[in-house]
Amino acid sequence: MIKFLKYMKGYLRVRVWGFSPERFMNLCSNKGILLWDIVKEGDAYCMNITLKGFWEIRPIVKKTGTRVAILERYGLPFFLPQLLKRKMFVAGLILAVAFWLVSSLFIWDIKVSGNYQITEDMFQTFLKENQVKIGMRRDTLDIEELEKQIRRQFPQVTWASARLDGIRLLIDIKENDAPMTTEKPETTPGRDLVAEYNGRVVSLIVRSGVPKVAIGDTVEKGAILVEGKVPVYNEDTTVREYRYVDADADIMLEHAAEFTASLPLKHIEKRYTGREKSSHYIKLGDQSWALPENRPFLVYDSVIRESRPLMLEKLDLPAFWGTVTYREYQNTEYLYTEEEAKSYLNQKLMDFLAELDEKGVQIIEKDVRIEKGTDAWTLTGEFLVQEPVGESTETERIEVGETKADG
């Protein structure tokens, strides 16, 4: 503040030198002449002095045998004369101030907050219909009437406040947490959405119903997430009635999931000996005859090749000629190598993760271990996932005035 007053009155930066500049400063102090920002430069001193003080130092200068020279001029008394010489600048400054004063009489920005069910387009259309727009005069706006119209036009708005902040119109609204429908209610017993796992709610977008949890809440399996029982309130905030809807919401729950897969250390593989024998058969309809019937090996598998003569194919007769080849093999026990076991188990894990991805499950953290036991290789996976939840169940109906008994 003192700095501003000094600027308004004007001051000088002066240089004092001569016989006794120190005595000069002492006498100025005795006379009440203000000096500040004093800097010694060799045998001279530089300092600031007020305009009034500068005109009062002549006797002191003569008495002390010093000399004073002006270095710089500061303040409004020196700035205004230079400013008045620049007519275009002064004219522009005046016009700018005039424009600022005139524009402050109008509304140049409209901000709406608290609207979630009501879209920006819907609210802008409402404002336009009520002659509330950018560029209108501030004194023509009836704040109380605007608030009444908002509550009247949008039944889901339980509270509305409008205020002017400079050139801005700020509108704050609060919508009913239980969405109200203007259409004729459908005949539905009402459906709730309940949690299918224990976990933490990380995302919640409700389209229909009353949310019973908030983002960040920890819920247990079976807990109601969105209720299909929508309260309708009287003006005194008491419940007038309940409307029943099918709860509809997008809910993401963060919870722990597990996956295990195992692979026996030993497995049986077929080892073919290379010995083969063939047998022929004739098939007519559902009946077949082996020519001859021959099963020469103790353990074997068979390969059947069946054909039909072209002439019979043209006549579409169900007569076939076939060959059965018997191949001998031995059941041999093998141990999975570590590489084979990990490849098999990792493929099982990939299939599991692909299923999660198809369900819209997002994996946040994972800890996967593959261990070799006494009888099998085991893959154990522990995951922190975010999964869409919301199992639909019939909502409990309560009549107005009925008190729900504690279970």
Side-chain angles (χ1 to χ4, degrees):
M1 186 65 183
I2 296 175
K3 207 170 185 181
F4 175 74
L5 292 175
K6 290 177 181 178
Y7 181 84
M8 294 299 293
K9 293 180 178 180
Y11 63 93
L12 302 170
R13 183 73 175 172
V14 298
R15 185 169 182 268
V16 180
W17 74 98
F19 177 73
S20 182
E22 292 82 2
R23 189 182 178 201
F24 166 84
M25 290 185 286
N26 289 333
L27 291 175
C28 287
S29 177
N30 293 334
K31 293 285 186 181
I33 299 173
L34 181 62
L35 302 175
W36 72 95
D37 289 348
I38 302 171
V39 179
K40 185 176 181 181
E41 296 180 355
D43 296 331
Y45 287 86
C46 294
M47 63 196 74
N48 294 337
I49 185 172
T50 62
L51 279 179
K52 180 182 178 183
F54 181 77
W55 295 115
E56 295 176 353
I57 64 173
R58 182 172 293 182
I60 298 175
V61 170
K62 289 181 179 180
K63 189 173 184 178
T64 58
T66 54
R67 300 181 64 184
V68 178
I70 298 174
L71 300 178
E72 297 288 344
R73 296 173 174 84
Y74 300 98
L76 193 61
F78 304 107
F79 175 72
L80 282 178
Q82 295 179 4
L83 184 64
L84 294 175
K85 294 178 181 179
R86 302 177 181 179
K87 297 180 180 179
M88 294 299 295
F89 178 80
V90 174
L93 181 62
I94 294 173
L95 289 175
V97 173
F99 175 78
W100 176 75
L101 292 173
V102 173
S103 63
S104 64
L105 302 175
F106 297 85
I107 297 173
W108 297 110
D109 190 18
I110 300 176
K111 293 289 184 183
V112 182
S113 60
N115 58 314
Y116 300 101
Q117 302 175 39
I118 306 170
T119 65
E120 289 290 337
D121 291 341
M122 292 171 60
F123 212 95
Q124 291 299 328
T125 301
F126 160 77
L127 293 176
K128 187 176 180 181
E129 291 174 351
N130 286 270
Q131 306 301 316
V132 179
K133 56 186 178 180
I134 293 175
M136 69 177 298
R137 287 182 60 91
R138 288 161 48 96
D139 55 6
T140 61
L141 178 64
D142 189 338
I143 296 292
E144 292 184 3
E145 182 62 25
L146 176 61
E147 293 172 347
K148 291 179 182 178
Q149 289 296 332
I150 293 173
R151 292 191 292 268
R152 188 178 297 118
Q153 181 72 22
F154 303 106
Q156 61 268 54
V157 174
T158 58
W159 176 81
S161 172
R163 69 183 189 277
L164 290 170
D165 182 14
I167 60 173
R168 284 184 174 183
L169 171 61
L170 303 179
I171 302 174
D172 298 319
I173 64 174
K174 183 178 180 181
E175 298 172 342
N176 191 351
D177 293 336
M180 298 174 59
T181 58
T182 55
E183 299 179 359
K184 184 178 179 180
E186 299 179 0
T187 56
T188 173
R191 307 287 295 182
D192 297 337
L193 295 179
V194 300
E196 300 157 82
Y197 312 97
N198 297 338
R200 183 174 66 90
V201 179
V202 295
S203 175
L204 178 64
I205 301 176
V206 179
R207 288 182 288 273
S208 177
V210 180
K212 306 301 289 184
V213 295
I215 294 175
D217 288 354
T218 300
V219 299
E220 296 182 354
K221 181 179 179 179
I224 297 177
L225 304 175
V226 180
E227 193 172 46
K229 184 167 61 266
V230 181
V232 180
Y233 295 98
N234 294 312
E235 291 184 359
D236 60 356
T237 71
T238 59
V239 177
R240 186 176 70 219
E241 62 176 329
Y242 289 102
R243 293 183 182 176
Y244 295 88
V245 300
D246 292 339
D248 183 19
D250 293 332
I251 309 167
M252 292 290 286
L253 194 69
E254 186 175 276
H255 67 94
E258 295 182 352
F259 173 75
T260 58
S262 61
L263 180 67
L265 293 179
K266 301 176 182 179
H267 68 286
I268 303 298
E269 288 188 2
K270 294 179 180 180
R271 186 173 64 85
Y272 291 95
T273 64
R275 298 172 61 191
E276 295 183 355
K277 287 188 178 182
S278 298
S279 175
H280 303 283
Y281 70 92
I282 296 174
K283 183 178 179 181
L284 183 61
D286 294 332
Q287 298 295 321
S288 62
W289 297 269
L291 303 171
E293 182 175 350
N294 188 10
R295 301 179 186 275
F297 308 118
L298 181 63
V299 182
Y300 62 91
D301 61 14
S302 57
V303 179
I304 299 175
R305 294 182 178 87
E306 191 174 79
S307 62
R308 181 166 55 167
L310 183 59
M311 181 179 67
L312 299 180
E313 187 175 348
K314 294 292 184 181
L315 296 174
D316 199 20
L317 294 176
F320 301 89
W321 172 267
T323 301
V324 181
T325 301
Y326 303 98
R327 301 183 302 172
E328 184 185 33
Y329 68 84
Q330 295 177 348
N331 288 324
T332 306
E333 189 177 82
Y334 289 94
L335 290 174
Y336 282 111
T337 65
E338 183 176 355
E339 183 179 351
E340 289 173 337
K342 288 184 176 180
S343 176
Y344 174 85
L345 294 174
N346 281 325
Q347 185 58 51
K348 290 290 186 182
L349 177 62
M350 291 300 104
D351 294 340
F352 171 72
L353 295 180
E355 291 179 6
L356 293 184
D357 187 61
E358 289 179 2
K359 296 177 182 178
V361 179
Q362 302 175 18
I363 299 175
I364 307 302
E365 296 178 4
K366 63 179 179 179
D367 181 16
V368 179
R369 301 181 301 277
I370 297 178
E371 300 174 337
K372 183 179 180 181
T374 56
D375 299 321
W377 290 89
T378 304
L379 180 146
T380 304
E382 297 178 353
F383 305 91
L384 182 64
V385 301
Q386 292 182 358
E387 180 175 357
V389 295
E391 180 181 355
S392 181
T393 61
E394 187 170 341
T395 190
E396 180 183 1
R397 301 182 71 89
I398 298 178
E399 298 296 331
V400 176
E402 179 182 345
T403 303
K404 185 177 177 181
D406 295 333

